[in-house]
Amino acid sequence: MLNDLKTQPQDKILMLMQMYRDDPRDQKIDLGVGVYRNADGVTPIMRTVKTAEKQLWEAETTKAYTGLTGDPAFGAALSSLILGDSVPADRVASAAEPGGTGAVRQALELVKMTAPEATIWLSDPTWPNHNSIVKYLGLKTRNYRYFDEATRGVDFEGMMADLAQVAPGDVLLLHGCCHNPTGANLNMTEWADVADALAKTGAFPLIDLAYQGFGDGLEADAAPTRLLASRLSEMLIAASCSKNFGIYRERTGLLIGIAPDAKTRDLTQANLAFLNRQNFSFPPDHGARLVTMILNDPGLRADWEAELEETRLGMLRLREQLADELRRATGSDRFGFIAAHRGMFSRIGASPEQVERLRTEHGIYMVGDSRLNIAGLNEKTVPILAQAIADVGV
Ligand code: LMR
């Protein structure tokens, strides 16, 4: 039986991670996988996470199962961080999931259960695993225009023209903030137009929210999700705590289902529990518990917000420094978009050959579509990257 297995396509981001690890050069720079690194190149455990872990170690008395959708306190705390008071709590169902990817997967499974004929509309481009999971589940998919290669901003006209084609009941997957892989984002006026389009076509929004707090701040990054939640009767949100709590390997995510009324909310909640039971029974608890402790303790929360803000501002400074260094190295303003982009990533517009040369000649690793992870840089590596980009002629 196992002999009959087929070779599966390798995930490009994870493949790059391995190539970087295998590269013996000292001067290599990893701008591939979306993991935050501080100025010393390490991915630190946030100080509030460490404090919460110590408290948890003292206080935790059992490792018995939680509920199928995790501890309800986690769902309540994270839903509130994301949704604020944009929607009444009795319309909000939620389930803890293994990371943001787990939440995306369960969201799409839920769609498959209730609307197997729905087409999933993905931004062009999107996080490659969106395409992969949709395909794996056998769901239909189409792309909507998103990125304008010429301006390195959003092709908003193209996007709205495509959104008008979405059929009622089709699913529109949106990046709530910090678009991955491009770094180009909609402004709030444009988000209001998206909400109008969704209301008009009857399409169903699925928001992937993996970077809240990494773009313009915790509140600003949640604003598009809140706007849609306040305007539309139903939607799904797949949220990740990997980045904003730095707990990547703890696999901490939440799938939120906003229902039109309390009765449908209960039905949704029961279906989320059923789906978890089929796939893995109980979701991981450690990371979810830390997040709950941090969000519900005013002191820890204030310190977490401060640390997250330091991280965010650090990334913004790196963006500005990189845009300046590129101006100097290339004698042109064409990389100004890097300072305007938000989140961990920017797609810089290098060809696959140039990306390859950056890796082989300069030891600089970025994804083949020229997505670079800003949070993989530091003040010393920015000028090296800028010079290398100029050298390969991007
Ligand atoms: C990324 O896009 O690099 C991250 O979301 C990590 C991953 O799982 O791909």
Side-chain angles (χ1 to χ4, degrees), residues 230-247:
S230 67
R231 292 274 314 275
L232 304 164
S233 64
E234 48 179 13
M235 64 196 253
L236 291 171
I237 303 162
S240 170
C241 299
S242 296
K243 277 78 181 188
N244 52 9
F245 287 84
I247 48 174

Side-chain angles (χ1 to χ4, degrees), residues 63-337:
K63 295 281 187 190
Y65 293 124
T66 55
L68 280 177
T69 52
D71 182 348
F74 170 62
L78 194 59
S79 296
S80 153
L81 180 78
I82 294 166
L83 292 168
D85 55 10
S86 59
V87 59
D90 69 355
R91 284 179 47 212
V92 181
S94 68
E97 309 292 359
T101 308
V104 168
R105 169 66 189 262
Q106 296 293 77
L108 291 168
E109 291 234 21
L110 195 76
V111 169
K112 193 177 170 176
M113 275 197 332
T114 183
E117 289 306 315
T119 295
I120 317 297
W121 289 73
L122 302 172
S123 65
D124 180 20
T126 191
W127 182 49
N129 215 19
H130 286 152
N131 295 295
S132 181
I133 296 173
V134 169
K135 192 170 157 217
Y136 178 69
L137 289 175
L139 289 160
K140 287 186 280 192
T141 180
R142 280 185 70 176
N143 287 325
Y144 60 89
R145 275 171 279 176
Y146 186 81
F147 192 53
D148 183 337
E149 296 285 347
T151 62
R152 310 261 121 208
V154 177
D155 172 9
F156 190 63
E157 232 173 79
M159 177 175 175
M160 290 310 285
D162 290 345
L163 261 46
Q165 309 297 315
V166 180
D170 277 357
V171 174
L172 182 66
L173 199 157
L174 296 154
H175 299 227
C177 66
C178 306
H179 187 266
N180 177 7
T182 67
N185 297 289
L186 303 179
N187 61 37
M188 284 309 286
T189 315
E190 292 167 333
W191 275 108
D193 288 351
V194 170
D196 287 344
L198 283 159
K200 198 165 160 199
T201 58
F204 185 98
L206 163 55
I207 299 189
D208 187 341
L209 191 65
Y211 300 93
Q212 186 186 356
F214 270 40
D216 289 311
L218 275 172
E219 294 292 306
D221 292 349
T225 303
R226 291 176 187 178
L227 174 77
L228 263 53
S230 67
R231 292 274 314 275
L232 304 164
S233 64
E234 48 179 13
M235 64 196 253
L236 291 171
I237 303 162
S240 170
C241 299
S242 296
K243 277 78 181 188
N244 52 9
F245 287 84
I247 48 174
Y248 306 84
R249 64 174 66 167
E250 302 298 350
R251 309 313 297 139
T252 309
L254 187 74
L255 174 55
I256 299 173
I258 299 178
D261 50 54
K263 194 163 153 253
T264 316
R265 178 256 167 224
D266 293 347
L267 182 67
T268 309
Q269 187 66 36
N271 274 271
L272 294 179
F274 171 82
L275 262 183
N276 276 8
R277 182 64 167 161
Q278 307 321 302
N279 282 328
F280 45 77
S281 278
F282 300 89
D285 180 68
H286 184 72
R289 202 153 290 275
L290 301 174
V291 167
T292 313
M293 289 169 74
I294 293 168
L295 291 178
N296 288 344
D297 178 300
L300 283 178
R301 183 172 178 139
D303 197 26
W304 167 71
E305 287 186 11
E307 195 172 0
L308 180 60
E309 190 62 3
E310 283 162 31
T311 306
R312 184 182 79 82
L313 294 175
M315 285 191 291
L316 280 187
R317 278 195 297 275
L318 288 167
R319 285 190 174 280
E320 271 156 29
Q321 193 196 346
L322 181 57
D324 286 348
E325 290 288 346
L326 280 163
R327 193 172 298 118
R328 197 190 45 73
T330 62
S332 102
D333 279 336
R334 69 180 186 279
F335 291 101
F337 63 86

Side-chain angles (χ1 to χ4, degrees), residues 11-19 33:
D11 185 289
K12 291 193 179 73
I13 298 173
L14 305 186
M15 213 164 78
L16 200 69
M17 225 167 129
Q18 193 53 48
M19 280 164 80
V33 69

